[in-house]
Amino acid sequence: MTAQLESTVISSVVAGKPVDGHSVVRSTNPARLSEVVGEVAFGDADTFVAAAEAAKTAQRDWAKIPAPIRGRAIAHIGRLVEDNKEALARLVTAEIGKPYAEALGEVQEIVDTCDFFLGEGRRLYGQTVPSEMPDKQLFTHRVPVGAVAVITAGNFPVAVPSWYIVPALLAGNTIVWKPADYSPVVSAAFHEIFVRGGGLPDGVFNLVFSDGEQTFAGLQRSLEQGLIDKIGFTGSSAVGREVGALAGRHLQNACLELGGKNPLVITPNADLDLAVEGALFSGFGTAGQRCTSLGTVIVHESVHDEFLARLTKAVAAAKIGDPADDVLMGPMLDQKFADRYEEYLDWIQPHHTVAGPTGRITADNARDGFLGDATAGLFYHPVVVDGVQADDQLFLEETFGPIIGVITYTDLDQAIELANKPGYGLSSAIYTTDPQEAFRFRNGVGAGMVSINNSTSGAEAHLPFGGNGKSGNGSRQSGVWVLDQFTRWQSVNWDYSGRLQKAQMDTVELTPDRDFRLGS
Ligand code: UN1
């Protein structure tokens, strides 16, 4: 029997109006697959192009609204999110299986982002710059980029979209948002809160449900027609490469937030219990499906055995089960992630050691102390793979799921080399009580984010977030830094001399005495 929480079919919203879809898809609860969270009508490439047209048309008037007033809209959105915090978090938990405490944290991240940008509406500073000539003044202004396509993943179905949408709107841009196809209900709720809370005019924030192929086709056509001026994309490195290439062909640089193979180094003097706690949270929170999730623990050989013993014990004791309960780990986000994760499990080799069970939690492959009915959902055992080597696939590639590797090192330079070897560069962590080691690691690691005595996850909403290498193209989200993604600098030179003053040619020179020498 299926229980249905929502009876209406949700759909794309273009220029403020719902749009008929082509196929209706069910969104189910990954913790109880028989429970339908909602139904969504998928659009196609035409839906995307229509949304881009609406965004492009609405942008001119949205940009005319003074930035402080747009900042007020962001303030109201933040309050409305706060007032709906529990309801939105419950939807996150129901639709993608994120444990409720984490889901509340995720919703809080939207509020934090709004808190930051509501003030930016009264700043959005430019500069006054001196001219090399008299009676002339130079200025810089931030101007909006235009219509922005935002394409996001469903592991952070509301926090990560807000990192793009809040600053983009604040800076005077309009939006076409294509959320993950497996989190439509929570996406529709987010969209409605934003439109209502901000009093956003029609066309300012458009929502498109479509599959990856149709989205790409729609994006391509929109770019060809000059309807999209900027792309923000969060997802896999493979798709990010395609999106970046498409943007590049249209002389645009996309804001890309891609995969990670995030290392966590443990030095001989580290507080091992703290390191275990950090590894547990970043390895298995969101069932290992964050872009900041821990990939490999790089532990000094002298503390390897002790660390592994404590970690194995902690993993065995961790609470796993119904994400509505107080658990460390719930189910996989969606069937397709479960299927892909099973392939990663094949990367475990005979030279590896795994302490506990692996694979799907079932009646025959049970987990002690499981909270709820494991067979009803997409639940997997948390896996720690010891004896990983630097040329293992498991060491080199992202494994989106509850699996972490353990490798040893002998000196810090080697640990840094191992941390950088997979070629991603999103997040990283070091557990040490020696400041020299912390600084040497920070200096040597190629990641965009470094944690010292904290896990690889847990970025705050006003610090630059983003990666290098296979994790992105160097773009940064959050805080003032993201404004460079959603605005362009316009320089103004204002001449009030009443004559043509030619730069570099009509400048006056003083007469320096270059021959003067002391004592001569
Ligand atoms: C992501 O997985 O795409 O630091 C973002 C963290 C979260 C954001 C992760 N605040 O893990």
Side-chain angles (χ1 to χ4, degrees):
M1 213 189 87
T2 57
Q4 191 142 347
L5 298 182
E6 298 260 321
S7 53
T8 47
V9 176
I10 56 177
S11 63
S12 305
V13 181
V14 173
K17 310 270 175 311
V19 182
D20 285 344
H22 299 270
S23 52
V24 173
V25 177
R26 280 180 161 186
S27 173
T28 53
N29 181 336
R32 281 181 295 280
L33 291 168
S34 60
E35 184 180 296
V36 177
V37 182
E39 287 183 312
V40 56
F42 269 31
D44 58 13
D46 290 342
T47 319
F48 195 99
V49 175
E53 270 164 5
K56 191 74 181 171
T57 306
Q59 199 263 330
R60 258 169 266 128
D61 285 340
W62 180 243
K64 283 184 196 152
I65 293 178
I69 309 303
R70 295 196 302 258
R72 296 280 293 157
I74 299 300
H76 292 309
I77 291 170
R79 281 193 204 115
L80 203 60
V81 171
E82 210 161 14
D83 292 345
N84 285 278
K85 185 172 177 179
E86 288 78 14
L88 195 55
R90 274 197 297 275
L91 273 185
V92 170
T93 297
E95 195 164 39
I96 60 142
K98 183 172 285 197
Y100 184 61
E102 271 190 71
L104 283 172
E106 157 146 24
V107 176
Q108 184 58 41
E109 220 164 318
I110 314 173
V111 178
D112 297 347
T113 301
C114 290
D115 279 357
F116 184 87
F117 284 105
L118 67 90
E120 201 51 43
R122 290 189 183 270
R123 269 186 304 270
L124 217 59
Y125 292 148
Q127 292 114 341
T128 56
V129 179
S131 168
E132 63 193 35
M133 283 168 297
D135 296 334
K136 192 178 174 200
Q137 179 64 56
L138 313 181
F139 305 89
T140 66
H141 294 261
R142 282 194 186 276
V143 294
V145 172
V148 178
V150 176
I151 302 171
T152 49
N155 58 340
F156 277 85
V158 290
V160 169
S162 79
W163 295 357
Y164 292 106
I165 292 163
V166 170
L169 288 175
L170 182 279
N173 304 280
T174 51
I175 311 286
V176 176
W177 180 35
K178 205 302 271 185
D181 43 20
Y182 54 91
S183 58
V185 177
V186 77
S187 306
F190 174 99
H191 178 259
E192 189 160 11
I193 290 174
F194 267 58
V195 170
R196 285 177 186 258
L200 303 180
D202 290 349
V204 168
F205 183 11
N206 305 279
L207 172 66
V208 174
F209 293 113
S210 57
D211 65 23
E213 208 173 304
Q214 291 296 320
T215 303
F216 202 81
L219 180 61
Q220 198 159 5
R221 277 173 44 199
S222 302
L223 285 164
E224 279 158 12
Q225 294 175 36
L227 299 172
I228 289 294
D229 305 288
K230 177 83 188 181
I231 306 168
F233 172 81
T234 295
S236 70
S237 300
V239 178
R241 210 181 281 275
E242 299 297 316
V243 170
L246 180 62
R249 281 203 290 283
H250 292 273
L251 305 181
Q252 293 184 20
N253 60 336
C255 182
L256 300 175
E257 205 254 278
L258 311 177
K261 186 75 185 177
N262 307 295
L264 184 150
V265 171
I266 300 173
T267 74
N269 53 64
D271 176 335
L272 286 188
D273 285 331
L274 200 61
V276 165
E277 227 184 315
L280 199 64
F281 174 68
S282 53
F284 304 112
T286 318
Q289 300 161 107
R290 296 191 192 119
C291 56
T292 57
S293 288
L294 168 59
T296 309
V297 176
I298 302 170
V299 58
H300 192 266
E301 57 184 5
S302 66
V303 287
H304 165 269
D305 293 357
E306 184 55 31
F307 169 76
L308 191 68
R310 291 193 207 181
L311 178 66
T312 306
K313 202 168 146 207
V315 170
K319 282 198 244 168
I320 296 183
D322 187 343
D325 224 317
D326 177 23
V327 293
L328 171 72
M329 194 175 117
M332 302 298 285
L333 301 167
D334 181 68
Q335 187 66 51
K336 71 173 171 217
F337 292 95
D339 294 345
R340 222 174 51 185
Y341 176 65
E342 300 222 358
E343 291 173 24
Y344 300 141
L345 287 173
D346 292 340
W347 294 355
I348 299 174
Q349 301 284 308
H351 67 267
H352 295 146
T353 315
V354 180
T358 63
R360 187 129 178 207
I361 304 177
T362 60
D364 297 334
N365 187 24
R367 160 111 187 154
D368 285 346
F370 187 90
L371 292 164
D373 177 7
T375 56
L378 301 167
F379 293 97
Y380 282 79
H381 286 283
V383 179
V384 178
V385 181
D386 188 33
V388 166
Q389 291 171 7
D391 52 0
D392 290 348
Q393 204 165 9
L394 202 55
F395 178 82
L396 293 168
E397 286 174 44
E398 182 178 36
T399 46
F400 211 65
I403 182 167
I404 61 176
V406 179
I407 192 169
T408 56
Y409 77 92
T410 48
D411 71 70
L412 193 65
D413 284 340
Q414 190 198 358
I416 293 169
E417 204 181 309
L418 286 170
N420 292 333
K421 186 158 192 241
Y424 292 83
L426 187 63
S427 186
S428 62
I430 184 167
Y431 279 80
T432 179
T433 49
D434 178 350
Q436 265 198 38
E437 286 183 333
F439 277 101
R440 279 176 57 203
F441 180 72
R442 186 216 59 76
N443 197 39
V445 78
M449 296 179 285
V450 184
S451 280
I452 298 154
N453 296 323
N454 203 322
S455 79
T456 53
S457 296
E460 297 189 27
H462 52 284
L463 197 66
F465 186 102
N468 307 318
K470 286 191 264 178
S471 296
N473 55 357
S475 51
R476 293 292 180 265
Q477 296 184 273
S478 297
V480 287
W481 300 274
V482 75
L483 289 176
D484 290 334
Q485 296 295 324
F486 296 121
T487 60
R488 290 193 180 132
W489 285 111
Q490 181 183 56
S491 13
V492 175
N493 83 67
W494 187 341
D495 196 320
Y496 50 94
S497 68
R499 60 187 187 279
L500 175 66
Q501 303 193 85
K502 299 190 282 301
Q504 296 92 41
M505 289 179 265
D506 294 343
T507 48
V508 290
E509 268 283 8
L510 300 176
T511 40
D513 179 359
R514 302 279 288 266
D515 297 329
F516 174 72
R517 298 290 177 276
L518 274 179
S520 61

